[in-house]
Amino acid sequence: MTQTSVRVLVVDDSAVVRGLLVRALDTDPYITVAGTAMHGLAALEFMRKTPVDVVVLDVEMPVMDGVTALRAILKEFHNTQVIMASSMTYEGAETTIQALTIGAAECIAKPVAKNAADSIAQLSQQLLPLVKALGQHSTQTAAPEKPVLVTPTTTAAIPKILVVGASTGGPKALSSLVAGLPVDFDLPILITQHMPPMFTPMLAKHLEKDGGRPCCEATNGMLIERGKTYVAPGGFHMAIDRQDKRMVTVLNEEPPEHFCRPSVNFLYRSAAQWYGQSTLAVMLTGMGEDGIEGARELSAVGAPIIVQDKATSVVWGMPAAIANAGLADQTLPLDLIPNAIQRICRQAMAVK
């Protein structure tokens, strides 16, 4: 099948940054820069005249800022994916997480290299695979999916922990997931979301607000308690270990897996080791195949695995890897996953 060129609009008030972004995008023959704009209002005017698959959108701009522009794009251009370009500052991270929970697909860091060549290389590594993955999602006209066939999942063990992996499109999906669970949902929830270091504390803050239950960025040796949610910090793998007969989160800086740190594999594998069949695992939207090896270990010990379906995923990569390997007990639209989690817990308790 011939790959379709992805049409990209670059929006940034800095001519220098716009130029670097365009030069990075131009290095890929399957990406076409459809145009550039200096602020959100100009971007919307451009999009009303010219088709665009992906928008690379600055967070902080005059006339119309990135978050305001994002809301307008999501409302008016339903098939267009948006990547936020953020400065690595506290304020930039806070605004970017807000944008991601609203519906931006992903964020990238603005270049900090001292010369143009290094900046372009940095941007190319971050941006090109992401633009092509999102563009493919945007340009495909999917055939209607078959009705979801849910095989009732029963486990011999009552779930004691919920472990969740996510990447591209994950913050919004995570927000939906935690909001869909009752405030008194009792299992500890451990989340690995691919995200830079400065952004994960903000993600935890937003998930606490959306879910109405305590949520924090995990630290090394933190006690895993019922009713609380823990987010893997950017730059560190998060796993589970037992210390003094109590389960705790452990962090490490071992090499990335699937080019990711944190990697979902560390969370899934350690859950399989320490909780076994009492683990309940979920894989949400994300690019690549991170988590597949950990999912094999979870499946081997009999832990149920739920994956987000293609229709509701921003990129059906990580969930697809698990589903296509035959490891998923259920493949569900995002809005049905919270109910499925609660149903598995109820069924297990009824069996007991």
Side-chain angles (χ1 to χ4, degrees), residues 61-96:
M61 297 178 292
V63 183
M64 181 184 286
D65 65 85
V67 171
T68 304
L70 172 66
R71 293 184 190 276
I73 291 169
L74 295 176
K75 183 177 180 180
E76 192 170 342
F77 304 95
H78 303 292
N79 292 326
T80 301
Q81 300 292 335
V82 180
I83 301 168
M84 306 304 295
S86 172
S87 58
M88 299 301 286
T89 64
Y90 180 92
E91 292 79 9
E94 172 66 40
T95 307
T96 301

Side-chain angles (χ1 to χ4, degrees), residues 25-352:
L25 292 165
D26 279 343
T27 63
D28 194 297
Y30 295 106
I31 295 174
T32 299
V33 178
T36 64
M38 295 179 61
H39 49 71
L41 185 59
L44 291 168
E45 291 172 351
F46 180 91
M47 293 173 70
R48 288 168 185 143
K49 299 175 183 176
T50 307
V52 171
D53 303 309
V54 177
V55 179
V56 182
L57 186 63
D58 186 14
V59 172
E60 299 170 357
M61 297 178 292
V63 183
M64 181 184 286
D65 65 85
V67 171
T68 304
L70 172 66
R71 293 184 190 276
I73 291 169
L74 295 176
K75 183 177 180 180
E76 192 170 342
F77 304 95
H78 303 292
N79 292 326
T80 301
Q81 300 292 335
V82 180
I83 301 168
M84 306 304 295
S86 172
S87 58
M88 299 301 286
T89 64
Y90 180 92
E91 292 79 9
E94 172 66 40
T95 307
T96 301
I97 290 296
Q98 181 186 358
L100 290 168
T101 54
I102 289 169
E106 189 57 280
C107 66
I108 62 163
K110 287 191 176 184
V112 293
K114 294 181 180 179
N115 61 71
D118 288 346
S119 292
I120 292 167
Q122 174 192 326
L123 285 168
S124 298
Q125 185 178 19
Q126 291 186 83
L127 198 53
L128 301 184
L130 182 57
V131 165
K132 287 191 285 188
L134 293 173
Q136 184 180 31
H137 177 92
S138 176
T139 55
Q140 283 181 341
T141 304
E145 290 195 11
K146 294 179 180 179
V148 176
L149 301 176
V150 178
T151 302
T153 304
T154 57
T155 175
I158 296 173
K160 295 180 180 178
I161 194 167
L162 174 62
V163 291
V164 184
S167 186
T168 315
K172 185 179 181 182
L174 287 166
S175 176
S176 175
L177 175 66
V178 299
L181 293 170
V183 174
D184 60 353
F185 182 72
D186 197 32
L187 297 190
I189 304 174
L190 272 64
I191 295 170
T192 292
Q193 160 74 48
H194 298 160
M195 188 168 277
M198 191 170 291
F199 293 79
T200 41
M202 308 294 182
L203 176 64
K205 176 182 172 183
H206 277 264
L207 293 179
E208 179 170 281
K209 179 181 177 183
D210 295 338
R213 63 205 307 272
C215 180
C216 65
E217 183 185 58
T219 59
N220 197 47
M222 182 175 281
L223 182 66
I224 297 174
E225 299 181 84
R226 298 185 72 86
K228 294 187 177 181
T229 302
Y230 307 83
V231 176
F236 290 86
H237 298 302
M238 178 176 69
I240 299 164
D241 199 2
R242 178 182 289 164
Q243 295 179 2
D244 298 325
K245 298 182 180 181
R246 302 198 300 180
M247 295 299 188
V248 298
T249 59
V250 291
L251 308 180
N252 69 68
E253 294 181 278
E254 291 182 23
E257 291 196 19
H258 295 275
F259 308 101
C260 300
R261 192 172 64 204
S263 164
V264 181
N265 272 331
F266 280 80
L267 176 59
Y268 276 11
R269 282 197 295 254
S270 61
Q273 177 186 358
W274 290 109
Y275 285 88
Q277 200 177 33
S278 295
T279 306
L280 176 51
V282 172
M283 181 65 84
L284 300 176
T285 173
M287 186 171 66
E289 296 188 344
D290 181 33
I292 181 64
E293 294 86 359
R296 291 187 191 281
E297 296 192 27
L298 285 168
S299 181
V301 298
I305 304 173
I306 302 171
V307 302
Q308 187 175 349
D309 71 354
K310 184 176 182 179
T312 62
S313 293
V314 173
V315 177
W316 206 54
M318 288 156 57
I322 294 173
N324 292 339
L327 302 173
D329 293 85
Q330 299 186 38
T331 301
L332 297 173
L334 177 61
D335 63 343
L336 296 186
I337 293 177
N339 285 338
I341 290 169
Q342 295 174 75
R343 184 168 58 249
I344 290 171
C345 294
R346 287 196 302 268
Q347 288 173 343
M349 293 189 71
V351 170
K352 291 296 181 182

